[in-house]
Amino acid sequence: MNATLKLPVEPWARRLVLLEIALPVVLLVLGIYAGLLQVLFRAGVIQAAEFWGWEYYQALTLHGVVNAIVFTTFFAVAFGNALVPYALGMKLPLRWAWVSGIMMIVGTLMAAWAILTGKASVLYTFYPPLMAHPLFYLGAALLIIGSWIAFFNWIPLYLRWRREHPGEKTPLAVVGMFATFIVWLIATVAVAIEVVVLLLPWSLGWTQEVNVPLARMLFWFFGHPLVYFWLLPAYTMYYTMLPRLGGGKLYSDKVARLVFMMFILFSIPVGAHHQFAEPAISSGSKLLHSFLTFAVALPSLLTAFTLAASLEYGARQRGARGLFDWIVKQPFFSTDGWMFSYLIAGLIIFILGGISGIINASYSMNLLVHNTSWLPGHFHLTVAGPVLLAFLGMSLHLLATHAGKEIRLKRLAVAVPYLWLIGVFTFSWGLMRGGLHGEPRRTNLGMSYLNPDSPFYHPEWKLYVTVTMIGGIIMTLAMIAYFTVFFATALRSRTKEPAAEFPLSEAYHDEPAGALANLRPWVITAIVLIVIAYTPMVRDVLRGTFSNAPGYEPHNPAPVNQIEQLDTSP
Ligand code: HAS
């Protein structure tokens, strides 16, 4: 395989990428610790008060915000700041890149202060009537606006490249990152309106109440495309790097471009599938969003087959015979192409993660699983599967290349994703089985389920929460191994010349892009679809006859003896 192209990176561009990778990894230590507390608490091993000063909802908010919002947003910006200039063979414009990074860091510190001081125990969905300190909302707004600036900073580079390369196909890595940020840009307009127009004035006391269904509709306008903002940087790695790491080439370049265009089309007009139980939204809107949700599953199904074909093709070039020999011949434990293990383990996890998403999308089946522990099972097989592992693998790669340091403990680095895979499958089995038996999600009642005197006594959940806890402990061990590799590499002295380098693959079928070359028609069609899918919903939530809500803050569970006094009579 020919050597990976190395390109020099200006010192201040390297420092920005390293800062945008290192800060979220440090915060991830907190986020993972908060996750361990969740499983120990729900299994009755610790009591809420033992959260070392953290209340249950405070720890859950920290876990969700750090892992699902901060780590992912910083990573997507850092990855784009490194990959887009590399793929275009240009230099990153530094001024606005640093303005973006500083805004994101300031916003993160504001939100972290509010959470750590117990003034924003509102979970990562910050659903009203839960109310947070104004700095939490302001911090979220800064993080998002900072990420917009990062994207806008790449556009002049791309336009100059187009002028200098007339008629050439846009590099696939740039298509992937631009699709990611186009979805993000459209989706975050809604959450910016929710935060700036509805929640911030309410939290500052300028308004006394908030239209809850409207706020939640705006959140889910953003909330589902948020998952593709997480997924598409991983898909960019799958399409542009995995085939080469697997010793082959991308089976079809055109299918990859079609997949990214389909995500631009269908990522956003699906938000009602998070609100099938929402009384304010009409069943007609829910049905339309359900159909469109099955549409947004299609690009992932195309991905499954294209990547499997790419990996099979590569293995057969290396002599694989028979029906399944190509699977066995994958470089699962190669320390040279060590990033392969992060990408393939994530894809294997995503097989079940995606199937559970399709179950969620079914209007009737959703009513069985909604708001049960099935849901965290689903999203630990998606965001904590392909997304987390791809982001961890690439973070390590960016650290090594941009700091000029060979990765230490490479065997341990390769073991991390497989240990995580075992943990997350165990963890999610417990949650999803418990969910099917009615175990709720996001409840701060701890193991009152096991207390015969408790009105929430459900001994049959003990097996499921115990298996979930075992899975969570294995996941924590995997992350301790990852942090060991990451910080041992970060703290070693330089071993090579820093440079940007990505194992970009060639394609077997490298057809002209045709109608996929121009983003504009796809973005316009997406906006038309969004207007069709959301106009009825906006009408629904604005004309609903429900009272607006005053603010509310969740706190620690009442001691068990007080729970018994809860009036649970029908
Ligand atoms: Fe989801 C709720 C439906 C994908 C994350 N989802 C959530 C929540 C999160 C989340 C965080 O319809 C909870 C939000 C909350 O807090 O309430 N989801 C879907 C559907 C998909 C989907 C249809 N979700 C994701 C992804 C996520 C994510 C991706 C994060 C990154 N989800 C829902 C619904 C709900 C929901 C409802 C609301 C439920 C409720 O009631 O609240 C689809 O995009 C899934 C398509 C994916 C596939 C899998 C393709 C398989 C691939 C791997 C192939 C393997 C290979 C390896 C090639 C069809 C690509 C081969 C192996 C070798 C060894 C060779």
Side-chain angles (χ1 to χ4, degrees):
M1 194 164 32
N2 47 6
T4 308
L5 172 68
K6 286 189 171 69
L7 290 180
V9 183
E10 288 173 303
W12 281 104
R14 285 193 298 108
R15 289 180 190 121
L16 178 64
V17 169
L18 289 171
L19 177 63
E20 290 176 339
I21 288 292
L23 175 73
V25 169
V26 169
L27 287 174
L28 201 57
V29 174
L30 274 183
I32 294 295
Y33 164 64
L36 177 64
L37 291 179
Q38 310 290 318
V39 288
L40 296 176
F41 171 65
R42 291 180 72 89
V45 172
I46 62 172
Q47 295 310 312
E50 293 169 39
F51 269 23
W52 295 351
W54 288 347
E55 293 189 320
Y56 170 79
Y57 284 112
Q58 187 183 11
L60 185 53
T61 303
L62 191 75
H63 179 64
V65 169
V66 166
N67 296 8
I69 306 274
V70 172
F71 173 64
T72 53
T73 307
F74 267 98
F75 174 82
V77 167
F79 184 41
N81 278 338
L83 181 61
V84 170
Y86 176 86
L88 296 175
M90 295 181 167
K91 293 190 184 317
L92 179 70
L94 286 176
R95 181 182 321 133
W96 285 107
W98 271 97
V99 167
S100 143
I102 290 165
M103 278 182 88
M104 291 170 67
I105 291 170
V106 170
T108 299
L109 295 177
M110 280 181 177
W113 171 82
I115 297 170
L116 291 171
T117 54
K119 295 177 170 48
S121 299
V122 292
L123 311 183
Y124 87 95
T125 45
F126 47 89
Y127 257 3
L130 299 182
M131 182 192 271
H133 187 282
L135 279 185
F136 175 82
Y137 300 117
L138 212 51
L142 281 178
L143 179 70
I144 288 174
I145 296 165
S147 66
W148 290 348
I149 293 172
F151 174 48
F152 296 147
N153 194 40
W154 305 331
I155 295 173
L157 280 186
Y158 173 56
L159 296 177
R160 182 151 53 90
W161 181 89
R162 284 267 299 261
R163 285 193 301 276
E164 293 167 3
H165 300 77
E168 270 190 52
K169 276 200 292 188
T170 302
L172 185 57
V174 176
V175 173
M177 292 313 289
F178 271 47
T180 303
F181 277 81
I182 286 168
V183 167
W184 179 246
L185 199 59
I186 301 173
T188 41
V189 167
V191 78
I193 293 169
E194 181 197 10
V195 167
V196 175
V197 176
L198 295 181
L199 301 183
L200 199 51
W202 176 57
S203 168
L204 287 165
W206 298 348
T207 56
Q208 300 318 307
E209 41 187 36
V210 66
N211 180 331
V212 170
L214 173 63
R216 290 181 180 181
M217 185 207 74
L218 289 170
F219 180 84
W220 289 118
F221 181 106
F222 152 81
H224 199 72
L226 171 64
V227 312
Y228 299 119
F229 174 69
W230 297 334
L231 189 69
L232 291 185
Y235 271 34
T236 302
M237 292 179 230
Y238 291 153
Y239 277 109
T240 63
M241 299 175 204
L242 178 72
R244 177 166 176 172
L245 289 166
K249 294 180 185 175
L250 175 61
Y251 189 71
S252 166
D253 172 84
K254 199 162 190 177
V255 168
R257 290 168 197 270
L258 174 64
V259 161
F260 287 120
M261 293 308 117
M262 290 176 80
F263 275 112
I264 290 178
L265 276 186
F266 299 120
S267 291
I268 297 165
V270 295
H273 75 222
H274 291 268
Q275 298 183 282
F276 283 148
E278 180 70 59
I281 297 173
S282 69
S283 50
S285 294
K286 291 172 185 173
L287 190 61
L288 174 60
H289 283 238
S290 185
F291 286 149
L292 290 170
T293 305
F294 286 106
V296 78
L298 286 176
S300 289
L301 287 167
L302 282 172
T303 301
F305 291 102
T306 309
L307 295 181
S310 307
L311 294 170
E312 176 176 2
Y313 221 104
R316 295 208 184 282
Q317 303 307 305
R318 295 195 305 278
R321 295 281 171 267
L323 200 52
F324 296 110
D325 190 27
W326 65 275
I327 294 180
V328 178
K329 283 231 174 8
Q330 296 304 322
F332 291 108
F333 301 101
S334 156
T335 48
D336 293 336
W338 59 268
M339 204 164 35
F340 180 84
S341 60
Y342 286 80
L343 301 184
I344 200 66
L347 278 168
I348 295 168
I349 295 168
F350 194 38
I351 296 172
L352 293 184
I355 292 169
S356 62
I358 291 176
I359 291 168
N360 297 341
S362 149
Y363 197 168
S364 46
M365 283 200 266
N366 177 279
L367 297 180
L368 296 173
V369 298
H370 182 62
N371 273 350
T372 71
S373 59
W374 164 279
L375 254 296
H378 161 67
F379 62 73
H380 281 82
L381 293 174
T382 48
V383 60
V387 173
L388 178 73
L389 290 179
F391 287 18
L392 291 177
M394 184 48 72
S395 294
L396 203 49
H397 175 80
L398 289 172
L399 169 68
T401 53
H402 284 60
K405 301 183 176 184
E406 206 46 52
I407 289 171
R408 302 198 77 155
L409 307 167
K410 259 189 190 172
R411 288 182 193 283
L412 184 61
V414 169
V416 164
Y418 300 117
L419 184 59
W420 180 268
L421 180 145
I422 295 165
V424 79
F425 273 146
T426 309
F427 173 84
S428 296
W429 180 87
L431 281 173
M432 296 172 98
R433 281 304 298 266
L436 292 175
H437 285 259
E439 185 191 340
R441 69 180 285 203
R442 288 178 166 166
T443 46
N444 63 353
L445 299 170
M447 275 334 290
S448 61
Y449 310 143
L450 296 187
N451 180 336
D453 304 331
S454 158
F456 305 98
Y457 183 52
H458 275 274
E460 75 275 17
W461 294 343
K462 173 143 182 91
L463 166 68
Y464 306 130
V465 287
T466 307
V467 170
T468 302
M469 177 186 70
I470 293 166
I473 291 169
I474 297 171
M475 292 156 79
T476 305
L477 294 174
M479 286 309 294
I480 291 169
Y482 176 81
F483 291 133
T484 305
V485 173
F486 187 90
F487 293 112
T489 303
L491 297 173
R492 78 179 306 177
S493 50
R494 186 175 288 184
T495 59
K496 57 184 179 178
E497 193 51 35
E501 54 175 313
F502 294 97
L504 297 184
S505 308
E506 292 167 23
Y508 286 113
H509 300 285
D510 201 355
E511 316 85 344
L516 300 165
N518 185 350
L519 285 166
R520 195 172 299 128
W522 298 91
V523 174
I524 293 168
T525 311
I527 292 170
V528 170
L529 256 183
I530 290 166
V531 170
I532 294 169
Y534 267 97
T535 303
M537 270 176 74
V538 171
R539 185 207 55 210
D540 292 345
V541 295
L542 289 179
R543 69 175 187 185
T545 54
F546 27 74
S547 62
N548 287 324
Y552 164 72
E553 283 189 17
H555 280 293
N556 240 356
V560 172
N561 58 358
Q562 282 182 15
I563 288 179
E564 282 140 15
Q565 290 154 14
L566 279 181
D567 176 12
T568 55
S569 53

